[in-house]
Amino acid sequence: MAKIYVLREPRRHDKAWNIYALREAARLKKWFDGVYYSPRLKRLLAVFRPTPGTHVNLEVFEELNESVLRDAYRMECPRGCNRCCVFRSGAFIIENEVKKLPPDFQERVLKQPSELIRTPGGWVRVYRLDTETMGRCIFFDVERGECELEKMGGKEAKPIVCLLTYCTVFASRNGEKYLKTGYREIGDGRVELYYKRVTEQEWRRMVTRMASTWLRLRRIHKAVKESDAAMRRSTRSKRVV
Ligand code: SF4
Ligand code: SF4
């Protein structure tokens, strides 16, 4: 049975360690498979499948047998929700990820507030991306409802924290769709998540419900844009008179 690499659990109250782990995970970003919930382990598993011979830091990753995923739910983030990018996104990007971005994107990141953190692997600079109103991410295109980084370079261009963080509301298993119905923390960072299989219609209904924050913001943006345009037109006509 094939091996998979799973990111170890984040440590409570140990920001330096967690940033170190994220930096190491970012190095393997192109081999990121997805986040799964294992009902057997009662754990969320961030799964990577590096090609054989790739160096994997076992301080932050653990090697598991692929069989742990047999009954696992895969976390999904359906298009059109966008809640995580719009409201209190908490988004940030680590310096080694910034270096891989095209110059114009790098420039935008470098203007953001940053923090230098001493981690077990040395100093790491982290740039905040959640500096727009209500914690919206600077790379979220409100009108199109999409991540500019993903549009530019695919999933791999997104910050590792965005790839690993899920609301856990939406999941899939064996080609079927599931929605979360509840959860229970059971200590040691472990959690029980409960899912029920749903129809395409129930799934879409939930996406629409979750998208309400973004849709409201998009309406406001549109109204502000229209009012600005009307103001410019009226200023122009006054000048002509
Ligand atoms: S709330 Fe869930 S579905 Fe919506 S953007 Fe976040 S992870 Fe995706
Ligand atoms: S980088 Fe992209 S996915 Fe992450 S919060 Fe910003 S817009 Fe959303």
Side-chain angles (χ1 to χ4, degrees), residues 3 8 19 29 47-48 51 68 75 80 93 102 138 140 149 165-166 190 204 208 225:
K3 297 281 180 200
R8 293 184 192 276
I19 292 295
K29 212 165 15 173
V47 175
F48 293 73
T51 48
V68 294
M75 297 299 108
I93 189 164
I138 61 164
F140 182 67
L149 291 176
T165 313
Y166 280 87
R190 294 190 311 146
R204 289 314 315 166
T208 309
K225 236 170 129 179

Side-chain angles (χ1 to χ4, degrees), residues 23-236:
R23 191 191 68 176
E24 295 304 293
R27 289 187 209 279
L28 301 191
K29 212 165 15 173
K30 73 171 170 182
W31 290 291
F32 175 63
D33 172 16
V35 174
Y36 294 80
Y37 172 65
S38 160
R40 233 181 314 154
L41 303 180
K42 304 200 185 327
R43 262 182 71 187
L44 283 163
L45 306 171
V47 175
F48 293 73
R49 298 173 186 271
T51 48
T54 307
H55 170 71
V56 178
N57 181 344
L58 291 177
E59 271 188 302
V60 302
F61 281 100
E62 60 187 303
E63 200 180 21
L64 294 181
N65 199 305
E66 196 176 11
S67 62
V68 294
L69 299 182
R70 211 174 283 144
D71 61 344
Y73 296 91
R74 186 186 166 91
M75 297 299 108
E76 302 289 350
C77 178
R79 267 204 179 279
C81 170
N82 301 321
R83 181 183 285 233
C84 290
C85 310
V86 170
F87 184 62
R88 295 189 192 153
S89 73
F92 61 85
I93 189 164
I94 299 170
E95 60 188 356
N96 60 336
E97 300 181 285
V98 180
K99 285 181 194 144
K100 293 189 178 157
L101 298 178
D104 49 332
F105 283 87
Q106 282 195 26
E107 212 175 293
R108 288 166 71 185
V109 174
L110 298 181
K111 284 185 192 145
Q112 298 303 307
S114 70
E115 188 184 354
L116 196 55
I117 299 171
R118 187 180 195 161
T119 74
W123 291 96
V124 178
R125 190 169 285 281
V126 175
Y127 295 87
R128 280 182 57 191
L129 301 179
D130 63 340
T131 51
E132 295 290 342
T133 320
M134 292 190 314
R136 176 162 43 95
C137 173
I138 61 164
F139 289 122
F140 182 67
D141 181 330
V142 176
E143 278 175 37
R144 293 173 186 271
E146 59 190 17
C147 169
E148 290 179 46
L149 291 176
E150 185 172 3
K151 193 176 174 210
M152 172 274 300
K155 279 214 162 28
E156 210 182 312
K158 283 163 77 161
I160 187 75
V161 70
C162 298
L163 295 181
L164 299 180
T165 313
Y166 280 87
C167 61
T168 69
V169 170
F170 301 92
S172 65
R173 189 165 72 172
N174 301 327
E176 308 269 16
K177 289 184 161 63
Y178 288 81
L179 289 178
K180 188 167 74 178
T181 54
Y183 74 98
R184 189 168 73 98
E185 285 183 16
I186 52 173
D188 284 349
R190 294 190 311 146
V191 65
E192 268 178 350
L193 301 180
Y194 308 109
Y195 285 97
K196 81 162 185 179
R197 210 171 60 201
V198 292
T199 61
E200 182 67 35
Q201 206 182 14
E202 288 170 301
W203 173 278
R204 289 314 315 166
R205 224 179 288 138
M206 181 58 92
V207 176
T208 309
R209 217 171 101 192
M210 300 278 284
S212 60
T213 314
W214 163 54
L215 293 173
R216 208 174 315 125
L217 182 69
R218 192 172 68 169
R219 277 198 297 276
I220 296 169
H221 262 237
K222 205 168 158 224
V224 169
K225 236 170 129 179
E226 281 168 4
S227 125
D228 283 353
M231 195 107 78
R232 274 198 301 277
R233 275 198 304 276
S234 121
T235 316
R236 263 203 306 271

Side-chain angles (χ1 to χ4, degrees), residues 7-22 43 57-61 119-121 188-189:
L7 202 57
R8 293 184 192 276
E9 294 287 315
R11 293 185 186 172
R12 259 173 212 249
H13 313 302
D14 194 347
K15 184 172 171 183
W17 174 268
N18 294 336
I19 292 295
Y20 170 56
L22 283 177
R43 262 182 71 187
N57 181 344
L58 291 177
E59 271 188 302
V60 302
F61 281 100
T119 74
D188 284 349

